[in-house]
Amino acid sequence: MSRGEERISRVAVVGCGTVGASWAALFVAHGLDVAATDPAPDAEERLRTFVAGALDQLAGFGLTGRGRLDFVPAMADALDGAGFVQENAPEDEGFKRCLLAEIDRALPPDVLVASSTSALVRSRIVADCATPERVLVAHPFNPPHLVPLVEIVAGTPEAAARASAFYAGLGRRPVVLRREMPGHIANRLASALYREAVHLVAEGVASVADIDAALCNGPGLRWALMGPHMTYHLGGGEGGIAHYLAHLGPSQERRWASLGTPSLTPEVQAAIVAGIAEEAAGRPIAELEARRDRGLIAVLTSRTEVAADAAPTPPAPGAGDPA
Amino acid sequence: MSRGEERISRVAVVGCGTVGASWAALFVAHGLDVAATDPAPDAEERLRTFVAGALDQLAGFGLTGRGRLDFVPAMADALDGAGFVQENAPEDEGFKRCLLAEIDRALPPDVLVASSTSALVRSRIVADCATPERVLVAHPFNPPHLVPLVEIVAGTPEAAARASAFYAGLGRRPVVLRREMPGHIANRLASALYREAVHLVAEGVASVADIDAALCNGPGLRWALMGPHMTYHLGGGEGGIAHYLAHLGPSQERRWASLGTPSLTPEVQAAIVAGIAEEAAGRPIAELEARRDRGLIAVLTSRTEVAADAAPTPPAPGAGDPA
């Protein structure tokens, strides 16, 4: 993994739940050595099982690199010699603040330390670090070895650029936030959409399964290819987004005013749970996850093949591999 | 096109803008005869140009049916002998109300009349019809010959079932609303997400291009495969949606409370327009549309191949073809 003078060959993965294990698989498949650590008693076994399955999936993208995967019980040993740290501890602000300070103390000041936090903001979790400018948020989407997005919130433009280069070299699509925001970008967009999806259940407009079907057979298909702004640019006809906003902006604002503000009352939760039971039709979570992963691989592959010149397109998987 | 005793061989397409032309192509590719009408002076030429391109795309799905495509200037002639009507007139309530009443008067009462309206509600546009129970909303997503979703709002369960069978036979995914709602389902979800996307621009959190990239490299990829409720079901780990709601429901509600309520002020519009110019990087709308369509075809094809048993999955293209 190289960026000009910077060459990273060993990554410490701190916290080996689903997110950490998925990161570990991605790193290993790109030929990076990983030192992973997690205090849970069965952590190593779960990690190795997950990584084995993920490596099979990544081989389908031609990612056949095989770095070493060491599991080490003591975090200090995992950090020793690491050129990059990916932290994936539980989403507890006090704990993460303490953990990042400990990681920070153990490493030379030029090593980047990236937190996968989805819900916490950088300024608060780096507060006890001696060298906070090298500690950043790099939030992936599940599962990170497949979904390209990495949202970056850094303390300095240099840290943002170094982290972006690292992730881009792993076939990820880094997006750098200009300022921190709870939930970053993508989870805020998802949360806004989910609020209305819950509202439509609460109001009895359609079943949970039909609301889900409306998204993934409609706008969700387009959003695998382009974001909301570009979508409305194409919705404006030959005049594009300027025409769209001038002619349909007022109706968007009226629609916004009509959106629901539901609460997750026990009744609404029960309706959602019952609706999911109907939609899942007895299929266990593991089966649904496996199908999602197969679907993600197929969509990512098809998207790359069709739109090699697309913007935005994630860097081709493997582009940053050490040769 | 058959459903038990019902066999439709000729469809009237009233209004041949982008939506009507795309419907016409879908019908023709499934072997249905189309009688199309539109008062615009160059309507026939635009229609035939669009349909020719769309038929090439549909042939890629194995849809090589070729019904007749007649353009007839007088609406009465288009309706004569039609077994189904797809209306795609401008989104003006008074005009559509008047037009639907005229269509209703011209046809035997058992012929379904479907309006493609996205913004109007059924109860108001059927108000002047003598037989409103056979007039329904069947709202597609652009372009309807590629995107499977059809949102149905009908006056009777029988009309909803007949229309659903018709569209399912065309490889579409009908979703029946239990009651009417302005914007139906999918555009409300899209509008909720767009509001937050505009908020993030207005607050300077990221560029328009990066916000778009965050969606289509993150949650948008998953939403091509499953909807928001199922996504959170998988986000709940082994406990599924019930676990998710019990443990993360409160944080969703806090997130909802933090979402933005932007206005499309001149400054915000200018920021969006400038951001799109940067993202489009000089590519004209037609090129972006062509790439979107190629991408949609690739994603739909890959999705069908991978998840033949997926729910929700649209019926396989061609499944309802007259043999």
Side-chain angles (χ1 to χ4, degrees), chain A residues 178 188 196 205 253 264, chain B residues 178 188 196 205 253 264:
Chain A
R178 292 172 182 160
R188 293 184 68 86
E196 186 62 17
V205 172
E253 289 185 319
L264 288 168
Chain B
R178 292 171 180 160
R188 293 183 69 86
E196 187 61 18
V205 173
E253 289 185 320
L264 289 167

Side-chain angles (χ1 to χ4, degrees), chain A residues 118-119 141-143 146-149 151 173-179 181-201 203-234 237-242 244-246 249-250 252-253 255-260 262-265 269 272-273 276 279-280 283 285 287-289 291-292 294-296 298-300 302-303 306-307 309-314, chain B residues 118-119 141-143 146-149 151 173-179 181-201 203-234 237-242 244-246 249-250 252-253 255-260 262-265 269 272-273 276 279-280 283 285 287-289 291-292 294-296 298-300 302-303 306-307 309-314:
Chain A
S118 59
F141 246 65
N142 256 333
L146 295 178
V147 179
L149 177 62
E151 297 175 305
R173 175 57 162 91
V175 164
V176 178
L177 276 70
R178 292 172 182 160
R179 63 187 187 81
M181 190 74 161
H184 316 312
I185 296 172
N187 271 334
R188 293 184 68 86
L189 299 178
S191 193
L193 184 141
Y194 186 50
R195 177 163 64 171
E196 186 62 17
V198 169
H199 174 64
L200 293 170
V201 173
E203 293 292 309
V205 172
S207 70
V208 164
D210 276 353
I211 292 165
D212 277 355
L215 184 65
C216 70
N217 292 285
L221 285 170
R222 301 195 299 213
W223 289 337
L225 302 161
M226 57 178 61
H229 295 292
M230 184 58 81
T231 298
Y232 286 112
H233 182 49
L234 299 192
E238 291 180 13
I241 190 70
Y244 178 83
L245 291 171
Q252 269 288 357
E253 289 185 319
R255 176 70 41 77
W256 292 348
S258 85
L259 295 173
S263 294
L264 288 168
T265 63
Q269 293 194 32
I272 294 170
V273 170
I276 281 289
E279 184 178 354
R283 286 175 299 230
I285 301 268
E287 179 184 332
L288 295 166
E289 277 180 341
R291 199 170 58 205
R292 175 199 64 189
R294 288 199 306 277
L296 283 173
V299 168
L300 283 166
S302 70
R303 196 174 71 148
V306 162
D309 64 338
T313 293
Chain B
S118 59
F141 246 67
N142 257 333
L146 295 179
V147 180
L149 177 63
E151 296 175 304
R173 175 58 160 89
V175 165
V176 178
L177 275 71
R178 292 171 180 160
R179 62 186 188 80
M181 192 76 160
H184 318 312
I185 296 171
N187 270 334
R188 293 183 69 86
L189 299 178
S191 193
L193 183 141
Y194 186 49
R195 178 165 61 172
E196 187 61 18
V198 169
H199 174 64
L200 293 170
V201 173
E203 293 293 308
V205 173
S207 70
V208 164
D210 276 353
I211 293 165
D212 277 354
L215 184 65
C216 69
N217 291 287
L221 285 170
R222 302 197 296 213
W223 289 338
L225 302 163
M226 57 178 59
H229 295 293
M230 185 58 80
T231 298
Y232 286 112
H233 182 47
L234 297 193
E238 291 180 13
I241 189 74
Y244 178 84
L245 291 171
Q252 270 287 357
E253 289 185 320
R255 178 68 43 76
W256 292 348
S258 85
L259 296 173
S263 295
L264 289 167
T265 63
Q269 292 195 34
I272 295 170
V273 170
I276 281 288
E279 183 178 355
R283 285 174 302 226
I285 300 272
E287 180 184 333
L288 295 166
E289 276 180 340
R291 199 170 56 205
R292 175 199 65 189
R294 287 198 309 275
L296 283 173
V299 168
L300 283 165
S302 70
R303 196 174 71 150
V306 161
D309 65 338
T313 294

Side-chain angles (χ1 to χ4, degrees), chain B residues 138-158:
Chain B
H139 172 245
F141 246 67
N142 257 333
H145 72 282
L146 295 179
V147 180
L149 177 63
V150 184
E151 296 175 304
I152 292 176
V153 187
T156 69
E158 198 231 343

Side-chain angles (χ1 to χ4, degrees), chain A residues 93 117 119-126 137 153 180-184:
Chain A
E93 186 176 302
T117 185
L120 306 176
V121 292
R122 179 184 170 278
S123 59
R124 295 179 67 92
I125 57 178
V126 305
V137 168
V153 187
E180 69 182 16
M181 190 74 161
H184 316 312

Side-chain angles (χ1 to χ4, degrees), chain A residues 16 41 60 63 69 87 103 106 110 128 140 179 221 260 265 278 299 311:
Chain A
C16 299
L63 288 174
L69 175 58
E87 173 272 310
I103 296 171
D110 61 323
D128 290 338
R179 63 187 187 81
L221 285 170
T265 63
E278 183 193 335
V299 168

